Amino acid sequence: MTSIPPLSAATPGILRRPAAPAPGIVHLGLGNFHRAHQAVYTDAAVAAHGGDWGIIGVASRSTTIPDAMHAQDMLYTVVETSPAGATYSVPRVHTDAFTAAANPDRVVKAIGGSGTRIVSLTVTENGYNYTPATGALNHKDPAIQHDLVHPESPRTPVGQIVRGLQHRSRTHGETVTILSCDNLADNGHHTQRLVREFASLLPPAEASEALAYIDSRTSFPSSMVDRIVPATTDHYRRLVASQRGYTDRIPVPAEPFSMWIVEDNFIAGRPTWEAGGAVFSNEVGAYEQLKVRLLNGTHSLIAYLGALSGAPTIPESVAHPSIEMAARSVLRNEYLPSVAVPRDVDVDAYEEELFTRWRNTALGHRTSQVGSDGSVKLRQRIPLPALQMLDEGAMPHLLALTTAAYLACIAPMPGFDPGPQAHAMEDPARGMLAGLAAGSRSGRDLACKVIGDHHLLGEELAGREGFILRTGEFIDIIHSSGPLAAIADAGPPVSLTPAPTLQIMRSTP
């Protein structure tokens, strides 16, 4: 591979434009998802209609991607892969890339620049520094505390945005849109609330100035993003080298499927992302519910049960008939009744498309990656559908099993080894949960501590004893007999054939 030339702007046959557009977007979170999603849509928009919509990419701490992008003329390869083969593209929309940790003042100036019209984010649910149980800004977080007293060097995305908006307010006062692309319910308003909460904690005169600018000169549209984008591995580097004839340090693997639903509320203009297939809709909330519950919620169950069964990847997990049946059952019977389905969505077709995507063996999407950060993710996915079922007098067995499987992976009780895939999962609450597990006598004891006392799934579920006890029962079954026994205990399996016609809510315009 060393004899193969590196990717650069001089590589023949890869670029459809001679130069990147002038910058107009600052993106926080320069990971694989952004580079295979928003950047691809922006590349298509600029190719079709032009515009100064180049992207300044800001990584949080790691210099791997920024360094590689600078070495490769800000280029990288998107590898769309499926069992049928792979296709390759090279977006040319990034104009700069750097890390926030090493350049905090540069982040503030980039957000505050008069040419910046959109600040977008893919920083994961955990990057918003909020308290999952309440949805409010975690103002006790040391990083938030730092950002409140060190305006020149903010560390958190919320702090970076507010300090950047203050810079704009004090210099040119131009309008700007803040666009969250993370899996948070009503992510636009959620981000706006956190930004306002941070600003309100500043000294009174400073807070008043910042809030006045935020309320009059910014917009916070909601969006729903959907594409499976695994981590980069040497396999994809070798694939690019052999198929494209150049070396790429940071190729991005992605499934062929991609969706972006966006609320059209851009106070300072936007790219024509429709050219790449984005849909502008007043039903973003309904699409968010569909994705966060049916896709993400079911995905979590597949990941935790798969990890506990020894499956390294999602396709290997969902290939197990018991896990597929559990996944179909939780999707149809426990998540779907709580979703206001968008008008144009065929639920049966959507379900089959999800399972086709999860079976994509070419991606190698790891259960450890999907299962990470569950303490934040599950708070977005489980409480509302679980509470709806409980209020109707029904027990959400598989939502309780999802919670139990998560705890078995992240906080196993003494004597139980959940396996290497579970050990590889990352979670900000792992230390706290592991301490609770170490002192628990049973699954019931652990569930009472985690859900009841520590409000892992919010305040309302903390008071639902039946759900807590059922979760504890599943923990004990997993520990004593394994995940497949827990699936069997959850109830009769559903058919593996497409779902029958269901009585479901439809969203209204």
Side-chain angles (χ1 to χ4, degrees):
M1 189 179 293
T2 55
S3 62
I4 301 175
L7 172 63
S8 74
T11 302
I14 62 165
L15 299 176
R16 52 183 174 178
R17 291 190 310 280
I25 301 172
V26 172
H27 185 84
L28 306 180
L30 189 59
N32 278 15
F33 185 82
H34 159 71
R35 293 187 296 126
H37 195 269
Q38 297 91 1
V40 171
Y41 283 90
T42 304
D43 184 66
V46 173
H49 299 286
D52 294 338
W53 295 111
I55 301 171
I56 299 172
V58 183
S60 177
R61 295 178 181 84
S62 173
T63 62
T64 300
I65 293 173
D67 288 351
M69 291 186 71
H70 280 284
Q72 298 177 178
D73 294 334
M74 309 308 298
L75 303 175
Y76 59 91
T77 311
V78 177
V79 184
E80 291 189 5
T81 183
S82 73
T87 61
Y88 306 85
S89 62
V90 179
R92 194 175 200 185
V93 289
H94 290 90
T95 64
D96 198 2
F98 61 91
T99 61
N103 305 274
D105 59 328
R106 193 173 169 188
V107 183
V108 173
K109 291 177 181 177
I111 294 173
S114 60
T116 298
R117 288 175 282 168
I118 296 173
V119 178
S120 51
L121 302 89
T122 51
V123 295
T124 77
E125 297 94 326
N126 195 41
Y128 287 76
N129 298 89
Y130 73 101
T131 302
T134 64
L137 184 72
N138 183 6
H139 59 86
K140 296 181 180 179
D141 187 316
I144 292 293
Q145 287 292 314
H146 171 275
D147 289 0
L148 287 169
V149 298
H150 295 284
E152 74 290 347
S153 58
R155 297 174 179 171
T156 68
V158 171
Q160 290 159 357
I161 289 170
V162 172
R163 296 308 185 182
L165 295 181
Q166 287 183 287
H167 182 88
R168 299 179 74 87
S169 174
R170 294 166 180 171
T171 53
H172 51 81
E174 295 292 334
T175 56
V176 67
T177 296
I178 312 299
L179 176 63
S180 170
C181 299
D182 286 298
N183 289 326
L184 297 165
D186 196 16
N187 56 11
H189 292 102
H190 185 80
T191 305
Q192 182 181 38
R193 182 171 62 252
L194 297 176
V195 166
R196 293 192 84 263
E197 286 181 27
F198 184 99
S200 69
L201 295 173
L202 299 172
E206 196 176 348
S208 178
E209 175 193 43
L211 289 169
Y213 176 83
I214 292 167
D215 291 342
S216 64
R217 306 295 288 168
T218 67
S219 64
F220 291 80
S222 286
S223 71
M224 187 282 285
V225 298
D226 188 3
R227 193 174 206 185
I228 295 174
V229 182
T232 298
T233 64
D234 285 340
H235 164 75
Y236 293 105
R237 296 184 181 95
R238 290 191 295 267
L239 189 64
V240 168
S242 64
Q243 298 297 313
R244 305 296 286 168
Y246 57 77
T247 59
D248 184 348
R249 291 158 56 179
I250 51 168
V252 183
E255 65 173 332
F257 178 91
S258 183
M259 180 182 285
W260 197 5
I261 312 296
V262 194
E263 179 185 7
D264 202 355
N265 178 26
F266 290 78
I267 195 171
R270 61 169 178 82
T272 53
W273 282 315
E274 301 95 326
V279 175
F280 288 86
S281 171
N282 61 358
E283 291 188 278
V284 172
Y287 279 99
E288 284 177 349
Q289 286 183 10
L290 195 74
K291 195 240 179 176
V292 169
R293 296 179 195 169
L294 272 62
L295 190 161
N296 297 136
T298 306
H299 212 187
S300 290
L301 180 62
I302 293 169
Y304 296 128
L305 292 176
L308 292 168
S309 301
T313 69
I314 293 297
E316 290 171 278
S317 178
V318 81
H320 196 294
S322 293
I323 295 178
E324 180 180 349
M325 287 188 292
R328 287 189 183 274
S329 184
V330 76
L331 185 154
R332 296 176 190 176
N333 301 328
E334 300 190 13
Y335 279 122
L336 183 56
S338 72
V339 172
V341 178
R343 292 185 300 274
D344 297 331
V345 173
D346 180 323
V347 174
D348 293 349
Y350 183 79
E351 176 185 330
E352 292 312 306
E353 184 174 52
L354 288 180
F355 279 88
T356 297
R357 294 167 65 191
W358 290 329
R359 292 190 191 101
N360 186 344
T361 54
L363 278 177
H365 203 192
R366 302 195 69 80
T367 52
S368 59
Q369 182 182 358
V370 177
S372 290
D373 294 331
S375 60
V376 181
K377 293 175 179 177
L378 296 186
R379 179 64 180 84
Q380 297 287 321
R381 301 169 188 179
I382 288 178
L384 288 177
L387 288 165
Q388 179 173 311
M389 289 188 67
L390 291 166
D391 287 344
E392 294 170 353
M395 174 57 65
H397 295 284
L398 288 160
L399 296 179
L401 176 57
T402 303
T403 309
Y406 159 73
L407 290 171
C409 285
I410 299 297
M413 291 190 299
F416 179 73
D417 183 358
Q421 314 309 323
H423 291 310
M425 293 176 184
E426 299 179 358
D427 197 294
R430 182 186 279 275
M432 181 271 288
L433 294 175
L436 295 177
S440 296
R441 301 180 302 277
S442 66
R444 174 177 177 174
D445 190 19
L446 177 59
C448 287
K449 291 175 181 177
V450 172
I451 304 172
D453 298 340
H454 288 266
H455 297 186
L456 174 74
L457 298 177
E459 295 180 0
E460 286 194 71
L461 270 181
R464 302 301 182 100
E465 183 180 10
F467 181 85
I468 295 172
L469 296 183
R470 190 65 173 124
T471 301
E473 290 173 359
F474 282 128
I475 294 172
D476 286 332
I477 294 171
I478 290 170
H479 280 55
S480 64
S481 305
L484 301 186
I487 294 172
D489 195 80
V494 300
S495 168
L496 295 185
T497 58
T501 301
L502 300 171
Q503 296 295 318
I504 54 177
M505 297 184 293
R506 286 283 174 183
S507 65
T508 56

